[in-house]
Amino acid sequence: MTRLLVVDDEPEICEFLKTFFEDRDFQVETAGSGEAALKSAETFCPQVILLDIKMGDVDGLEVLKKVKQANPKVKVIMVTALETTDKIEAAMRLGADNYITKPLSLEYLENDVREKISSLAAKP
Amino acid sequence: MIPSERRPKRILETLLPFFTLFVLSFTVLSLAIYLVDTRFPNLVNWHPLVWIALIAAFTAGSYPSIDQFYGWLLRRVLFPERSQVPHFLKHLSEEIRATTDLSELANLLVNSLGEVCQFKTVSLSAREPRGERYVVISAHGWNVSDYRKVRLEATSPLVELMKAAQPKSLLREKVIQSLSWQESNQITVHFEALRATCVVPLWVKSKLVGSINLLASSSEQALNEEDLLMLEEFGREVAPSVWKALLIDEIQKINRELQDSRSRILQNAKLTAIEQLATGIAHEIHNPLTIISGKAQVLLLQKDRKIYDEKVEEVLKTVVKQTRRAADITKKLLMFSRASASPREKLKLETVLEDTFSLIAYQMSLEGVEIERLVAQDLPDFFGNTQELREVFLNLILNAVQATGPGGRVQIEITFHKADKVFLLRVRDNGPGISGENLERIFNPFFTTRTDGLGLGLFVTQQIVHRYGGSIRLESEPGEGTLVVIELPLEPEAAPNAVSVIPEKGGKEFHDTASGRR
Ligand SMILES: [Mg+2]
C-alpha cells in the first residue's frame, strides 16, 4: 500500500483528501501544520507528500527543503491557491515534483499521484 | 518685392535710356560733323569707321550714367514708392497680434506672405520653449512632411550668425561673400535646409525666438535694402505675438501631458488595487472553494457508491463546475496584472494572428461567422510577448464574433504605417453596435453587456496595449457595427515603470507568468 502524507492548514481539506485516497487503497496520514508535517515525514515515511505552500507556522517551502534533504526519493506535489507565484518556481528549484492549484480536480490529482508512484517503482 | 507692381516702371526704365541715347548720339554726331566741317576741314578725310567707333564709345560710356539717372528719376521723383507692401504688412501684423493659436498664427503668416508677395517658399521657424532648438512650425510652398523634419540647433552657424547680426536680417548671397569658402559651405547647407535666400530674425528683447525664412521666386525679385528694412520692421512687430503663441502652445502641451500622466497613475492605482484584491481573493476564497468542490468530488468519485438520485448527481456536478468558474475569475485577473511582466521577443504579428485563429477556428465554424483576414505584405517584426498579443487578438475576435452572432461578418486587418512606424490592427464587425453610454464604460473592468461574460476582455486588452505604449479605441453606433482600432508602435518604449501605490512587497509576491501550467 502506498503511503501518502497530506499537509494543509485547512483541516477540511485534509479530511476529504484522506477520505478520497483511502477509498482508493492508499494509506493516508494528515498534518495541519508545517511542524506536524516534518514529524510525520520522519515517523510515517511517506512515499508521496501533498504539500500546501501557504501555511501559518512553517511554510510549505521550508517543509519541502527539509523532507527532500532527509529523503531525496520522496515525491512531493505542491498545492497552491495561485498559479502565478514565484513560490512555485522556488518550489520547483527546491526539487518539488509537481504542483497543482486549488480548487483541486481529484481525478487529475489521483492520476498525478499514481504517475509519481510508478516512476518510483520504475527506478531501482 | 511684389512683381506685378514693377511692370509699368520696368518698361519705362528700359525704353527711356535708349530713346535718350538715340537723340543724344544724333545731336553729338551732327554737332561734330558741323564743327569738323567748318573749323577743321582737313579732318573730314577721316575714315567713316573712325566716326562710328567714336560714337559707339561715347554711347557705351554714357549709358550707365543715363540709366542711373532715369532710375533715380522714375523711382524717387516720378513714381515714388507708393507700394501696397507696407500697408499689407501692417495689416498682417495687426491680424497676427490678435491670434493666440500657434498653428493658426503660423499658417496665417506664411500663407499671407507667400501668396501676396509671391515668394516661392515662406516658412516660420521658432524656438522650442523648453529646448534650444529652432523648428519649422509652418511653411508655404513645402510639403507638410518635409518641413516637419527641419531643425536648427542653437549652436548651428546660422543661428550664431543671426545672433551676431542682431537685429538685421541675413541675405544668403551677402553672407556667403563675407565668409571663407569652408564657412560659406556650412552656412549654405543651413540656408538650403530652410529653403531660404533671406532670413528675417524674430527678436523679443535679447531673445532670438525664431525667424521668417524666404525664398524669392526669381532673381528679379531679389530683395533690396528697403524691402529688408520693411521685413525687419514686420519681424519686430510680430515677434512678441509669435513668442506668446509658442508659450501658450507649450502650456497646453504640458497640461495635456499632466492629464495623461494623471490618468495613467489612476489607471495604475486601479490595476494594483485589482491585483491586490485578486491575490487576496485567491488565497482566502480558493480554500473554501477547494473544500466545497473537493467534498462534492469525493461523493461523485466514491468507489462502490450507492447509486444517487439523478438530481443529486446533477447537483454535485454543478457544485464542482461552478466552483471552478468562481476560481477562474481570480486567475484571469492575476494572469494579466502588472506584476506579471512577460518576456518579449521578436515575432511576427501575422503569425500570432494565425495561431490565435487556429485555436478558435473550430468554434468559429460552429458559430457560423465569416471572418476575413487582411494582412499587409512585408510587415516588420514586432518585439512583444506572444501570450499577451494572442490574448489581445483572442479578446477582439471573440468580442466581434459574439457581437455579430451566427451569420455575421468580422474583418481583421493588420497594416503598418511607415511614416509613423506604427502597426494598425483593425477589427470590424457588423453586429448591433454599442450605445454611446456603454461605449464610455467599455474599458472598465467588470463592465459587460453579456450575462455570461466577466467583463475583463477589453480591460485586459487595453492594459496590454498600453504596456506596449500603444493605444486602443472603439468606434461604434447602434445599428452600425463596431470598429476597434489598435495602434502599436514599432519600437515600444520600455514598459513604463509602474507608479506603485502599494508597497513593493505587494507587487513582488506574484511575479512572472513564465512558469507554465504542467
Ligand atoms: Mg493553506
Side-chain angles (χ1 to χ4, degrees), chain B residues 272-291:
Chain B
T272 42
I274 287 171
E275 204 178 298
Q276 260 185 322
L277 188 69
T279 311
I281 288 175
H283 276 296
E284 299 312 318
I285 291 189
H286 282 207
N287 274 336
L289 287 178
T290 307
I291 297 166

Side-chain angles (χ1 to χ4, degrees), chain B residues 17-18 21-22 24-25 52-67:
Chain B
F18 276 110
L21 268 177
F22 180 73
L24 214 63
S25 312
I52 292 171
L54 273 175
I55 287 164
F58 175 79
T59 309
S62 55
Y63 179 81
S65 38
I66 286 173
D67 185 51

Side-chain angles (χ1 to χ4, degrees), chain B residues 53 55 76 89 115 133 146 216 233 241 392 398 423 442 484 491 500 505:
Chain B
I55 287 164
R76 294 294 153 98
L89 288 181
E115 275 158 25
R133 289 186 310 186
D146 288 345
E233 171 64 25
S241 312
V392 168
L398 289 179
F423 289 96
I442 202 96
V484 186
E491 289 147 11
S500 193
K505 196 172 141 258

Side-chain angles (χ1 to χ4, degrees), chain A residues 1-5 26-27 44-49 68 71 73-76 97 113 116-117 120-121:
Chain A
M1 229 179 356
T2 309
R3 291 182 306 281
L4 176 74
L5 175 62
F26 281 76
Q27 193 182 342
F44 177 60
C45 282
Q47 285 142 307
V48 180
I49 304 178
K68 278 283 182 182
N71 176 14
K73 271 166 75 183
V74 65
K75 295 287 170 188
V76 183
D97 296 276
V113 170
K116 296 289 167 291
I117 294 162
L120 261 184

Side-chain angles (χ1 to χ4, degrees), chain A residues 8-10 13 52-56 79 102, chain B residues 283 287:
Chain A
D8 202 308
D9 57 349
E10 292 272 348
I13 293 179
D52 186 26
I53 289 186
K54 203 180 173 191
M55 287 186 294
V79 181
K102 291 174 178 177
Chain B
H283 276 296
N287 274 336

Side-chain angles (χ1 to χ4, degrees), chain B residues 146-158:
Chain B
D146 288 345
Y147 74 70
R148 286 251 166 95
K149 291 175 206 144
V150 179
R151 284 180 169 71
L152 279 186
E153 298 297 329
T155 53
S156 86
L158 187 54

